[in-house]
Amino acid sequence: MADSPLISVQELNDILGQDKLIVLDVRSKLGDDDYGKAVYAQSHIPSARRADMHDDVTGCCSGTNGRHPLPDSGRFCVNMRRLGVSPDNAIVVYDDGDMSFAARLWFTLRWVGFANVRVLDGGFKAWEKAGLETTDEVPTFEQGTYRATTPLARVFDDDFVEANLKTKEYTLIDARSAERFRGEVEPIDPEAGHIPGSLNRHSVLNFTEEGVLKAPDVLAQEFKALIGETPADKIIHSCGSGVSACCNLLAMIVAGMPPAGLYVGSWSEWIADADRPRAKGPAA
């Protein structure tokens, strides 16, 4: 597959059925752990295998490491081998269309060194809108052989982010809605607000009215208007639990900008420590 981190529904349809292609369905819904299983059973892209966001992609929650922590890399690779992943595969991942869950799986695969993975632009909604075939048939496949290699993605932990409050070497971009960022509402986590010094770009701003990512030049213009002269590789993306942040990270790469990093624990991990500072209101 090409170097782009995205693939269109027509491009995927053209290569569907190729021997080394694996399609992973990671449709999920926050607060409903059974959603992905239910919608996959109803219909999915032909040959797609279901990757569960909680069981396959996310690590164990300790109560202090956020709602969607990174898994142990070895355990994650065990999960990917169970889904048939081997080093010579090409992978396409998709979700319901906001691309946050798909982007998180894309990021996690890159974190364990798997390069040949792309995100379906517009996800399953775009596939259905195009009138392409769906099925409820569950495919059969053999066990894979993939094992972690050199990471292709950068991860930052809470200690680094806290130290960065003083060094200000990196700039955080928070992908949550403006209302959550400002601390006016908080429907998920026990406290409202944001990490001090963060900028805000709601991940939904990356999309056109048709539900696909905006053109690269448009994304580049919008992100540069947000970060100014800050180099893209000095950006750390965050959100509530390291999911929608991956959509912003993906969008910056689509825009032709160097890869940024991810604070996986994000706000849900940050507030687990009562001593960490919080901020409310618009970005300073």
Side-chain angles (χ1 to χ4, degrees), residues 20-93:
K20 297 297 182 181
L21 177 66
I22 292 177
V23 180
L24 296 178
D25 181 321
V26 68
R27 284 178 287 173
S28 304
K29 181 179 289 186
L30 294 177
D32 186 353
D33 293 348
D34 296 325
Y35 174 80
K37 181 178 180 179
V39 294
Y40 177 84
Q42 183 177 16
S43 66
H44 50 265
I45 294 173
S47 80
R49 308 167 190 183
R50 191 178 80 87
D52 188 273
M53 185 67 194
H54 295 279
D55 295 340
D56 298 326
V57 184
T58 301
C60 295
C61 296
S62 66
T64 59
N65 62 349
R67 288 183 278 105
H68 293 96
L70 272 181
D72 172 80
S73 61
R75 172 53 55 185
F76 176 72
C77 288
V78 167
N79 296 338
M80 293 302 102
R81 291 197 294 272
R82 181 181 54 78
L83 289 168
V85 175
S86 294
D88 60 348
N89 285 123
I91 298 178
V92 172
V93 297

Side-chain angles (χ1 to χ4, degrees), residues 171-175 199-207 213-232 235-238 244-258 260:
T171 298
L172 270 68
I173 296 179
D174 189 318
L199 302 176
N200 179 223
R201 177 179 170 86
H202 195 189
S203 58
V204 301
L205 297 176
N206 298 320
F207 296 92
L213 278 189
K214 294 175 180 176
D217 59 335
V218 174
L219 289 170
Q221 182 179 23
E222 292 180 359
F223 275 104
K224 288 176 182 177
L226 177 67
I227 67 175
E229 298 301 317
T230 303
I235 295 294
I236 299 175
H237 290 283
S238 71
S244 61
C246 291
C247 182
N248 275 350
L249 191 152
L250 174 70
M252 285 184 66
I253 293 178
V254 170
M257 306 170 80

Side-chain angles (χ1 to χ4, degrees), residues 122-163:
F124 191 68
K125 290 179 181 177
W127 184 269
E128 286 190 307
K129 186 176 180 180
L132 298 172
E133 180 184 357
T134 62
T135 184
D136 61 1
E137 182 179 349
V138 177
T140 59
F141 48 87
E142 296 181 356
Q143 177 94 355
T145 62
Y146 189 77
R147 295 182 182 277
T149 60
T150 304
L152 301 172
R154 292 186 298 155
V155 172
F156 295 87
D157 63 17
D158 52 342
D159 289 336
F160 185 96
V161 173
E162 188 165 9

